[in-house]
Amino acid sequence: MAGVSLKCGDCGALLKSVQEAQEHAELTSHSNFSESTEAVLNLVCTACGKPCRSKTDSDLHTKRTGHTEFVDKTLEAAKPISLEVPKVAMESEDTVDASSSNQAEEMVVPEVDKMLLEELEAMGFATARATRALHYSGNTSVEAAVNWVVEHENDPDIDQMPMVLANTKAEALKPSLTPEDVKLKAQELKERARKKKEEEEKRMEREREKERIRIGKELLEAKRIEEENERKRLLALRKAEKEEEKRAREKIRQKLEEDKAERRRRLGLPPEDPAAVKPSAPVVEEKKSMLPVRPATKAEQMRECLRSLKHNHKDDEAKVKRAFQTLLTYIGNVAKNPDEEKFRKIRLNNQTFQDRVGALKGGIEFLELSGFAKIEGGEFLLLPREKVDMAILNSAGSELNSAINNPFFGVL
């Protein structure tokens, strides 16, 4: 059987003609070729008609287009190979008139820019396809050649080497565009790049604006939640203050009832019938400030002492708050370090102590309620180690925290 292809002995590639073998040798420096009875594959895509000369080409075509059906027409296209370099006779359509129509000229492969050709081959394009793209795109740039390939990908002869008349071969390298056209093309590309950049900047600005709006909404929501929590906290404080006022009024009422019963007992009158008692709220309000209230527990005594301190110095809230914080510091130091005498002993004539606590009526009384006692002729306040009562210190700390944080403390 006659040979239908040339096989490269170095890499095993099958080539259709001597011309393809020469191109392969130039590209790879392979020189060992022999005739083969194995034909080059001709797999034609049933969807677009593109021919593929190997299984690799068909796989790449499937990956690019999604077409999977191919018809094997290898036997139809297989012809005995000619070992002569093909020369095609063709009439020049532009320069030959009707009288010279029988004159044949040699057809050759057009020359293209080798650097552009190497770039296209490095991108994965076959030599024939890259040469055809450069030739028909004006041999100007890689971008123009790639655009031409995309537009003519489905052409049946896209993988065939282009042929031109021998006398026009030198003209193939000349750009098809005039200098004025090149300038216009460059200006057009710059304008296109500028518009693209402007569109990208506008898009980024829209994204940034969306991000600013999102952050603004999050900040507003966080502020709303903070305000809501603050409102709830104030409501809770007011509720606690109302409960405290209610307990104070109830104690006053009980005290009035006890005093009234004591007076009736001293006068020898029988106890008053509870069903007939109709206490009047206004009377209680009038006598509230006149009747002494003596808390029954240590915590109540401390609260009353702090309330008295605030009432006695109501014109200077900053001084009152500083006194409360100083007392809290003394109590906290003892609670944290009960074995340290320096925290359990206070010099009364210390200027800082006098400015913050000693000069305020009720400050020393509060410390005495917490367990401190005067020693050495009233020069010092001392809380003996054996008399340190953590329950009393905790109660003192709780009352001081309430006095500092409750804006309605001591209103009554």
Side-chain angles (χ1 to χ4, degrees):
M1 182 177 179
V4 293
S5 65
L6 289 175
K7 185 174 184 179
C8 177
D10 296 319
C11 64
L14 293 178
L15 307 165
K16 288 184 177 180
S17 63
V18 174
Q19 183 180 355
E20 286 189 6
Q22 291 175 345
E23 293 174 357
H24 181 76
E26 291 176 1
L27 293 174
T28 63
S29 299
H30 297 167
S31 59
N32 184 16
F33 297 94
S34 61
E35 289 187 72
S36 174
T37 57
E38 182 181 355
V40 178
L41 293 179
N42 185 21
L43 304 176
V44 180
C45 177
T46 57
C48 63
K50 183 183 184 313
C52 299
R53 61 186 299 164
S54 67
K55 188 65 169 60
T56 301
D57 288 348
S58 63
D59 292 341
L60 289 174
H61 181 71
T62 300
K63 186 176 181 180
R64 287 195 301 267
T65 64
H67 303 162
T68 57
E69 298 293 333
F70 295 88
V71 177
D72 190 351
K73 296 185 178 181
T74 303
L75 297 179
E76 298 178 9
K79 297 179 180 179
I81 189 170
S82 174
L83 299 181
E84 299 293 333
V85 177
K87 296 183 179 180
V88 181
M90 182 175 183
E91 296 179 352
S92 174
E93 298 178 355
D94 297 329
T95 60
V96 181
D97 55 12
S99 61
S100 60
S101 59
N102 293 329
Q103 182 181 0
E105 294 188 11
E106 181 183 1
M107 301 296 292
V108 295
V109 177
E111 293 186 4
V112 295
D113 191 307
K114 291 186 178 182
M115 293 183 64
L116 298 180
L117 180 62
E118 290 176 358
E119 290 186 30
L120 289 173
E121 289 177 343
M123 295 170 63
F125 292 100
T127 304
R129 181 177 295 200
T131 304
R132 179 175 288 271
L134 286 172
H135 173 67
Y136 287 108
S137 64
N139 200 38
T140 56
S141 65
V142 172
E143 180 183 2
V146 172
N147 291 336
W148 188 91
V149 171
V150 173
E151 294 174 359
H152 298 80
E153 185 178 6
N154 295 327
D155 292 356
D157 59 347
I158 190 171
D159 287 315
Q160 296 180 9
M161 189 67 71
M163 306 298 291
V164 297
L165 292 173
N167 59 0
T168 61
K169 182 176 180 180
E171 299 177 359
L173 287 174
K174 295 182 181 180
S176 60
L177 300 176
T178 63
E180 291 78 8
D181 292 337
V182 172
K183 290 182 180 180
L184 291 176
K185 188 69 174 178
Q187 186 177 358
E188 180 183 351
L189 291 175
K190 289 181 181 179
E191 183 67 18
R192 189 183 305 171
R194 185 185 63 80
K195 290 182 178 179
K196 186 176 180 180
K197 183 177 180 181
E198 290 179 355
E199 292 176 356
E200 182 65 17
E201 290 178 351
K202 290 180 180 179
R203 186 186 68 80
M204 294 299 295
E205 182 62 26
R206 288 195 296 270
E207 293 295 329
R208 288 192 291 267
E209 183 65 23
K210 290 180 181 179
E211 184 66 13
R212 286 195 293 268
I213 293 173
R214 183 186 66 80
I215 294 175
K217 289 181 178 179
E218 290 181 355
L219 291 176
L220 289 176
E221 181 65 15
K223 184 178 180 181
R224 185 192 67 78
I225 293 174
E226 183 180 359
E227 292 176 349
E228 180 67 16
N229 292 336
E230 181 66 16
R231 185 182 67 83
K232 291 180 180 179
R233 188 182 69 82
L234 291 176
L235 289 176
L237 289 175
R238 290 174 184 171
K239 183 177 179 180
E241 185 64 23
K242 287 181 179 179
E243 292 293 333
E244 185 178 357
E245 293 175 359
K246 184 178 179 181
R247 289 194 299 269
R249 287 196 296 268
E250 182 64 23
K251 290 177 183 178
I252 293 173
R253 188 187 65 78
Q254 292 178 0
K255 183 62 178 177
L256 289 174
E257 292 295 332
E258 292 175 359
D259 291 344
K260 186 175 181 181
E262 181 64 20
R263 287 195 300 272
R264 291 181 66 86
R265 186 184 64 76
R266 290 178 181 178
L267 294 174
L269 298 176
E272 187 175 7
D273 186 4
V277 178
K278 296 181 180 179
S280 177
V283 175
V284 174
E285 291 295 334
E286 289 177 2
K287 295 183 179 181
K288 181 175 66 171
S289 61
M290 299 172 60
L291 294 175
V293 178
R294 305 183 71 84
T297 65
K298 182 73 73 172
E300 290 173 344
Q301 291 177 9
M302 292 178 180
R303 187 183 310 129
E304 186 63 29
C305 182
L306 295 176
R307 187 181 290 111
S308 176
L309 189 153
K310 183 173 183 179
H311 180 73
N312 292 333
H313 305 278
K314 59 184 178 181
D315 295 333
D316 195 343
E317 293 184 1
K319 182 181 290 186
V320 172
K321 188 172 183 181
R322 185 176 61 182
F324 288 166
Q325 292 173 342
T326 303
L327 289 171
L328 183 61
T329 300
Y330 285 135
I331 298 300
N333 287 338
V334 175
K336 295 176 182 177
N337 307 279
D339 295 326
E340 294 288 341
E341 184 178 352
K342 65 179 181 180
F343 295 124
R344 294 186 284 105
K345 190 174 183 179
I346 303 172
R347 183 184 293 274
L348 291 177
N349 60 2
N350 181 278
Q351 189 61 41
T352 303
F353 174 79
Q354 286 295 325
D355 292 342
R356 291 177 174 269
V357 177
L360 278 67
K361 185 178 180 180
I364 295 177
E365 289 81 352
F366 183 86
L367 290 172
E368 290 176 339
L369 288 171
S370 301
F372 285 86
K374 293 180 180 180
I375 62 171
E376 299 182 13
E379 185 177 354
F380 292 94
L381 279 175
L382 177 66
L383 177 56
R385 179 64 183 88
E386 64 275 7
K387 292 186 178 181
V388 174
D389 190 335
M390 298 305 296
I392 293 177
L393 294 178
N394 290 334
S395 298
S398 298
E399 296 301 329
L400 285 169
N401 279 323
S402 176
I404 293 172
N405 299 320
N406 188 351
F408 304 103
F409 182 83
V411 174
L412 290 178

